[in-house]
Amino acid sequence: MDSLTILDVHNFGLSLKIKGRHIKIIEGIDFTLKAGSTLALVGESGGGKSLLCKSLLGLIPEGAKTSGNINLFSQENKVKDILSITEREIATIRGKQIGILFQEPVSSMNPVLKCGQQIFDVLPIDYKKNRISGNKHVIDLLDLVGLDNPKRVAKSYPHELSGGMIQKVALAAALAGEPSILIADEPFTALDVLSQIEILKIMTKLKEQLNLSLIIVLHDLELALEYSENLLVMYSGRVMEYGSTGKISTTPAHPYTKALLDVAKSYSENSRPLGIPGEIPSIISPVKGCRFHPRCKYAKEICKNAEPESKKVSQSGNVRCYFPL
Ligand code: SF4
């Protein structure tokens, strides 16, 4: 592991007990996150991206069994496996070393508390010891995320702000604990495209300014290609392809990645929008063999009978397919 690695997920899997038996929901997840880089998680809904994000935060569903490791590296290069530490230790990491930006920022905020107070409440203890310097830090954070008139925003209740402003307040709150990693799970679902781009630009600027590493679940593949260094393509609880965004965008190796790129291209070219024929299988009743085979135009007999393993196809790229493109 090199000194730039901040998170190393190795062979992570999670199974849930459903109707008396354990079903592997996600399996064989491998990736590393480098300090100051952005990893975008992409793929259709229902592929396990949100469950993976929650797992990275140690939010494992009750009764679930996990395997593998989620190794988090501190600045002193000490390693903690999120899956092996106590809930008490996880509480010292969640919201602090790893920040969270929720899908619906409004629902993560208290409607009867002013925004500034809500950020103040999650500041590190040293800031809270002195109300004046704590309040100043809150204003600085609101300014950092690009809000005009941060003093007014701090005095506002969430319902007094627009969706884009609320998302920025939520971003300031996520940064309040001074995290080294920020996980954002589809943070823009309620926003129009221009607001999404504006916040992604702010996050990219902050990434450089604060040496922050980002893991972002993005629905919009075009945005993922533009704002990430690495891409992790998930489908039915598996990583189908993982590697550098530049390489994957020009030469995708997995048929599912290629299909996603073709759909995105058809939208951006304003031609007749394509879709991927068929539906993603339910994550709790997956298909046998390669999970993508019912929808894959390259499927052969072997694809229906046995699941392919993830294989290295380049220095930093992995693909789970018998017949990479
Ligand atoms: Fe398609 Fe077979 Fe590759 Fe699966 S393993 S993606 S079915 S070619």
Side-chain angles (χ1 to χ4, degrees), residues 255-269:
Y256 180 55
T257 316
K258 171 85 170 68
L260 288 174
L261 287 166
D262 287 345
V263 172
K265 200 170 157 206
S266 73
Y267 275 93
S268 67
E269 285 176 352

Side-chain angles (χ1 to χ4, degrees), residues 240 253-256 289-304 306-308 319-325:
M240 292 305 189
H254 197 284
Y256 180 55
C290 169
R291 297 192 164 197
F292 188 55
H293 87 257
R295 305 171 76 188
C296 179
K297 60 183 176 185
Y298 306 98
K300 296 195 172 49
E301 204 51 35
I302 186 176
C303 309
K304 298 176 190 162
E307 188 169 13
V319 64
R320 189 184 284 275
C321 174
Y322 288 116
F323 310 105
L325 302 172

